[in-house]
C-alpha cells in the first residue's frame, strides 16, 4: 500500500488504479480508508500534473478524462486537498488545458467544494 501512491503519480500507469480501487474496497469499513483516499487524491493530482506537463497536446484525452472523473470523486469524498498539490494542478491545468471542457468542469466543481467557508483553502 505504501508503494502504490508514488507509482500512481507517474503518467502512463493507469492500470495501477485498478489495484488502488481494490484496496479501497478492502478498506471500506476501516478507519484507514480516509487516509488512503487522501493519498489517492494526492497521487491523482500529481498524475494529472505530470500528464499535462509531459503531453502538451491533448493526445491522451480518454486517460485524462478518467483521471479527472477520479479526481472529482475523490474531492467529493475527501473534501480537502494539499494546498501545494492544488496550486500545481491549477497552474499546470490552466497553462496546458485552458480550452479543455472536461478540465474546466472539474476545476469549477473543485473550486466550489474547496472554497466553502469551512474549508482551509478559503482562508
Amino acid at each position: 500500500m505504501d508503494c502504490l501512491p508514488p507509482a500512481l503519480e507517474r503518467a502512463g500507469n493507469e492500470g495501477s488504479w485498478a489495484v488502488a480501487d481494490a484496496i479501497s474496497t478492502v478498506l471500506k469499513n476501516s478507519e484507514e480508508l480516509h487516509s488512503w483516499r487522501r493519498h489517492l487524491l494526492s497521487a491523482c493530482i500529481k498524475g494529472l500534473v505530470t500528464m499535462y506537463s509531459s503531453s502538451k497536446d491533448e493526445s491522451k484525452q480518454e486517460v485524462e478524462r478518467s483521471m479527472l472523473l477520479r479526481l472529482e470523486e475523490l474531492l467529493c469524498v475527501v473534501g480537502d486537498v494539499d494546498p501545494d498539490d492544488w496550486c500545481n494542478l491549477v497552474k499546470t491545468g490552466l497553462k496546458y488545458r485552458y480550452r479543455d471542457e472536461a478540465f474546466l468542469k472539474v476545476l469549477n466543481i473543485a473550486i466550489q467544494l474547496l472554497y466553502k467557508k469551512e474549508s482551509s483553502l478559503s482562508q
Side-chain angles (χ1 to χ4, degrees):
M1 271 177 53
D2 296 335
C3 299
L4 189 58
L8 296 171
E9 295 171 14
R10 292 189 292 270
N13 207 2
E14 299 80 34
S16 297
W17 282 99
V19 176
D21 291 339
I23 293 172
S24 296
T25 303
V26 170
L27 293 176
K28 191 168 189 166
N29 296 322
S30 170
E31 293 178 12
E32 295 179 57
L33 182 60
H34 186 72
S35 174
W36 173 246
R37 286 181 173 161
R38 287 185 63 82
H39 290 300
L40 291 182
L41 177 61
S42 179
C44 184
I45 290 173
K46 290 175 182 174
L48 280 167
V49 168
T50 302
M51 271 192 259
Y52 292 162
S53 298
S54 66
S55 176
K56 292 166 180 57
D57 63 347
E58 299 178 24
S59 61
K60 295 184 176 181
Q61 286 184 351
E62 283 304 310
V63 174
E64 288 179 13
R65 292 199 196 309
S66 70
M67 290 292 287
L68 286 168
L69 290 173
R70 185 175 298 280
L71 174 66
E72 181 181 347
E73 176 187 319
L74 287 168
L75 279 171
C76 289
V77 173
V78 175
D80 195 21
V81 66
D82 179 77
D84 291 334
D85 289 347
W86 174 244
C87 183
N88 287 335
L89 176 66
V90 171
K91 281 192 329 187
T92 307
L94 289 175
K95 183 175 182 180
Y96 298 114
R97 298 297 187 268
Y98 63 92
R99 293 184 183 176
D100 182 21
E101 185 178 334
F103 169 74
L104 294 174
K105 178 184 170 225
V106 172
L107 180 64
N108 184 33
I109 291 167
I111 288 171
Q112 291 176 20
L113 283 170
L114 296 174
Y115 288 92
K116 294 184 281 190
K117 288 184 180 180
E118 55 277 351
S119 171
S120 63
L121 284 176
S122 68
Q123 299 170 359

